[in-house]
């Protein structure tokens, strides 16, 4: 008998095809994520779960999923999964790194450029019939070329953004828990402490995972250290930024603008005051959303899941410590 797998949303067919070979799959075929009660019911007799970042996979879910061997997250970030609880139960957790790095960096840079040059505001201006003539002072923004970019986090995506910035002759500063001298030499990056990064950067772009330590890393205090002309870009996770503090900073012109691909919560409440501001661009968490990348993510997530179900170590195992608890077939 084939193992059973629950897929919490329809993913691209290329991934589903792989899963169908490995398991009997059931897909939640709705626009919105499965409600918690449904998820709890569905996981009861599954061996594998393919989850999205919108599914909170916590101890309650794992307690119901008595046969669960592997949770394959269709994302590089896995803050939606209680990995400690999974490891304690001998459940493997996997993610989809690398395949989305360049696509996410493209979007981060697009957001940076669109915010700096007020692209969305300008488009709305034209559509509203406000374009009367060429004007010397119309929709003035910030230069990108030659500006200072501060990267908070120099993982794969931060590095890919730095590469793009170099093409624009930007000076790139970075702060990370770990210094990366190889990257410094390759791209001419400069490591600085966080305060210095905030004070010197024209653009601050966030590339850290969401952890208890990075929650509200951008807050009233850190925002107050930024230049009045600076722009904040977040393509990481919404809760890294304290949105109330960001609203105050934008309304009081303490910083010039922000570009967010992620929010807290997602989607934002329609009354969220950030949605009323002109000096912010907000996107619906689409950084990895190219056809090619979402296809690769689907294939990677499916392969991870199939490997785990076959008793092998999946390529993108997040909780390696789990291998001390379970037996895997090494070849
Ligand atoms: C991720 O993978 O973590 C992104 O946020 C969505 O692709």
């Amino acid at each position: 008998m084939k193992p059973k797998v629950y897929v919490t949303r329809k993913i691209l067919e290329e991934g589903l095809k792989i899963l169908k070979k490995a398991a009997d799959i059931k897909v939640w075929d709705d626009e919105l994520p499965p409600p918690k009660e449904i998820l709890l019911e569905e996981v009861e007799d599954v061996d594998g779960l393919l989850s999205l970042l919108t599914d909170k996979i916590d101890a309650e879910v794992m307690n119901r999923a008595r046969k669960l061997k592997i949770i394959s997250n269709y994302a590089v970030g896995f803050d939606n999964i209680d990995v400690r609880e999974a490891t304690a139960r001998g459940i493997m957790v996997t993610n989809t790194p690398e395949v989305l790095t360049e696509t996410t960096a493209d979007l981060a840079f697009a957001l940076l450029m669109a915010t700096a040059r007020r692209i969305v505001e300008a488009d709305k201006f034209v559509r509203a019939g406000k374009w009367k003539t060429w004007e010397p002072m119309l929709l003035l923004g910030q230069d990108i070329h030659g500006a200072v970019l501060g990267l908070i986090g120099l993982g794969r995506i931060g590095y890919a953004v730095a590469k793009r910035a170099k093409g624009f002759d930007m000076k790139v500063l970075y702060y990370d828990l770990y210094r990366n001298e190889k990257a410094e030499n390759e791209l001419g990056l400069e490591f600085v402490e966080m305060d210095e990064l905030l004070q010197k950067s024209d653009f601050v772009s966030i590339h850290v995972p969401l952890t208890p330590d990075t929650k509200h890393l951008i807050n009233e205090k850190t925002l107050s250290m930024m230049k009045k002309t600076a722009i904040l870009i977040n393509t990481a996770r919404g809760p890294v930024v304290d949105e109330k503090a960001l609203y105050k900073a934008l309304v009081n012109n303490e910083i010039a603008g922000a570009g967010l691909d992620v929010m807290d919560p997602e989607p934002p409440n329609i009354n969220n005051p950030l949605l009323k501001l002109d000096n912010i661009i907000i996107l619906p968490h689409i950084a990895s959303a190219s056809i090619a990348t979402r296809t690769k993510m689907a294939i990677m997530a499916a392969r991870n899941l199939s490997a785990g179900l076959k008793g092998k170590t999946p390529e993108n195992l997040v909780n390696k410590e789990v291998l001390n608890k379970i037996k895997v077939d090494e070849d």
Side-chain angles (χ1 to χ4, degrees):
M1 219 175 58
K2 275 182 169 178
K4 285 191 175 172
V5 164
Y6 187 59
V7 183
T8 63
R9 211 90 58 80
K10 201 163 183 312
I11 59 168
L12 285 161
E13 198 49 44
E14 285 83 347
L16 292 178
K17 246 195 252 162
I18 297 172
L19 286 179
K20 280 177 198 158
K21 276 196 198 140
D24 278 334
I25 69 168
K26 183 165 180 188
V27 181
W28 174 254
D29 196 3
D30 200 279
E31 204 188 341
L32 296 177
K36 188 77 176 256
E37 326 75 83
I38 304 260
L39 183 62
L40 288 171
E41 263 172 41
E42 294 291 356
V43 295
E44 226 156 37
D45 65 342
V46 298
D47 305 275
L49 178 65
L50 192 137
S51 57
L52 270 56
L53 55 87
T54 42
D55 307 308
K56 195 168 163 46
I57 312 297
D58 54 13
E60 193 187 1
V61 174
M62 295 180 217
N63 285 344
R64 285 287 280 276
R66 301 217 161 264
K67 290 165 62 191
L68 192 61
K69 290 188 187 61
I70 173 161
I71 303 164
S72 168
N73 213 36
Y74 179 82
V76 65
F78 46 86
D79 47 278
N80 57 309
I81 300 173
D82 191 330
V83 177
R84 211 170 48 88
E85 292 288 344
T87 308
R89 290 165 172 76
I91 300 172
M92 291 183 264
V93 177
T94 63
N95 68 342
T96 60
E98 284 167 28
V99 287
L100 49 73
T101 300
E102 300 296 333
T103 302
T104 303
D106 284 348
L107 193 282
F109 215 79
L111 201 45
L112 181 156
M113 294 184 74
T115 314
R117 297 303 305 273
R118 304 172 64 183
I119 302 285
V120 174
E121 234 184 305
D123 178 81
K124 283 188 189 152
F125 177 88
V126 175
R127 289 169 200 261
K130 293 184 183 164
W131 185 11
K132 305 281 187 249
T133 179
W134 189 90
E135 291 177 60
M137 250 74 90
L138 181 62
L139 288 159
L140 304 185
Q142 312 286 336
D143 269 332
I144 297 146
H145 69 274
V148 179
L149 169 64
L151 298 170
I152 302 181
L154 191 75
R156 285 179 286 251
I157 297 171
Y159 182 88
V161 172
K163 274 197 298 185
R164 284 153 180 76
K166 282 289 147 185
F168 279 78
D169 289 333
M170 295 179 95
K171 175 176 170 136
V172 184
L173 311 177
Y174 79 98
Y175 170 73
D176 196 292
L177 290 180
Y178 306 99
R179 212 171 147 171
N180 184 342
E181 283 173 18
K182 187 167 171 277
E184 288 174 28
N185 294 331
E186 281 166 356
L187 296 178
L189 314 182
E190 193 183 321
F191 174 85
V192 290
E193 291 302 330
M194 177 84 166
D195 290 3
E196 191 178 344
L197 181 142
L198 294 165
Q199 287 155 3
K200 291 190 170 163
S201 298
D202 299 305
F203 297 91
V204 172
S205 190
I206 303 170
H207 302 285
V208 289
L210 175 62
T211 66
D213 290 337
T214 61
K215 183 164 186 208
H216 289 186
L217 185 68
I218 298 299
N219 52 43
E220 203 171 318
K221 182 162 170 256
T222 44
L223 284 162
S224 73
M225 291 181 194
M226 288 171 63
K227 293 184 183 179
K228 282 202 177 332
T229 50
I231 285 173
L232 177 74
I233 303 297
N234 188 10
T235 51
R237 285 291 182 266
V240 177
V241 175
D242 175 351
E243 285 178 8
K244 287 203 173 83
L246 177 63
Y247 176 76
K248 272 207 229 149
L250 288 170
V251 147
N252 299 328
N253 298 316
E254 284 161 27
I255 64 169
L260 308 180
D261 182 48
V262 287
M263 293 203 77
D264 180 23
E266 291 178 6
N269 185 295
I270 199 68
N271 298 317
N272 184 326
L274 284 173
L275 302 185
K276 308 264 177 323
L277 301 182
D278 280 333
N279 54 350
I280 185 166
I281 295 179
I282 304 177
L283 304 178
H285 203 148
I286 54 163
S288 66
S290 74
I291 299 165
T293 290
R294 287 286 165 86
T295 306
K296 288 180 196 157
M297 286 168 68
I299 293 172
M300 186 177 251
R303 285 194 180 144
N304 284 332
L305 194 47
S306 308
L309 291 177
K310 284 185 193 133
K312 297 191 185 313
T313 309
E315 203 174 319
N316 310 106
L317 185 63
V318 163
N319 56 342
K320 305 242 179 332
E321 329 75 73
V322 78
L323 298 176
N324 301 325
K325 295 208 134 208
I326 57 172
K327 261 184 81 154
V328 287
D329 176 0
E330 288 312 334
D331 34 77

